[in-house]
Amino acid sequence: MASPIRIRLRLSGDKLAVRVAITHEMESGLRLDAAGKTIAARYIQIVKTELNGKEVLSVDLGPNVARNPNLDFSLKGAKQGDTVKVSWTDNQGGTRSDTAAVA
């Protein structure tokens, strides 16, 4: 299974600052290994964020995004006790999702 998604949340009034750190190799399919063979492409295609089970953000990524990407964004209408779920799917069918509670 993939490494956990690190989700950091900071609530200020009803504005929630979200910082997401994803561990993923993000291979473009253009690099060669030591034997000169092309390394297969493997990159995150979509990242989805849910607030209390309702999708609030969907981001399409591709092979040009750096390895271990970070995303920063804000959500309105959050309060203590809410849950934020972040999930990703890569081009080879790999997935990961993690949840954090608003403190």
Side-chain angles (χ1 to χ4, degrees):
M1 177 169 258
S3 296
I5 300 170
R6 292 185 308 273
I7 306 168
R8 291 195 171 93
L9 307 172
R10 187 174 347 139
L11 185 62
S12 177
D14 73 339
K15 184 178 175 184
L16 181 65
V18 181
R19 298 191 85 177
V20 177
I22 300 171
T23 302
H24 194 283
E25 288 300 311
M26 301 294 280
E27 282 294 343
S28 67
L30 301 175
R31 289 187 333 121
L32 303 177
D33 64 12
K37 294 186 178 190
T38 302
I39 299 171
R42 183 167 190 153
Y43 54 88
I44 295 173
Q45 287 185 309
I46 191 160
V47 178
K48 292 184 180 184
T49 303
E50 298 176 6
L51 179 62
N52 296 324
K54 180 181 176 188
E55 187 175 310
V56 292
L57 178 70
S58 180
V59 180
D60 294 327
L61 301 180
N64 294 327
V65 175
R67 125 183 1 180
N68 303 325
N70 294 296
L71 303 171
D72 292 348
F73 53 92
S74 297
L75 302 173
K76 285 190 174 183
K79 61 188 180 310
Q80 279 187 319
D82 287 352
T83 59
V84 174
K85 178 181 177 182
V86 178
S87 57
W88 59 257
T89 303
D90 70 20
N91 67 313
Q92 292 186 359
T95 63
R96 174 75 196 210
S97 65
D98 289 289
T99 304
V102 178

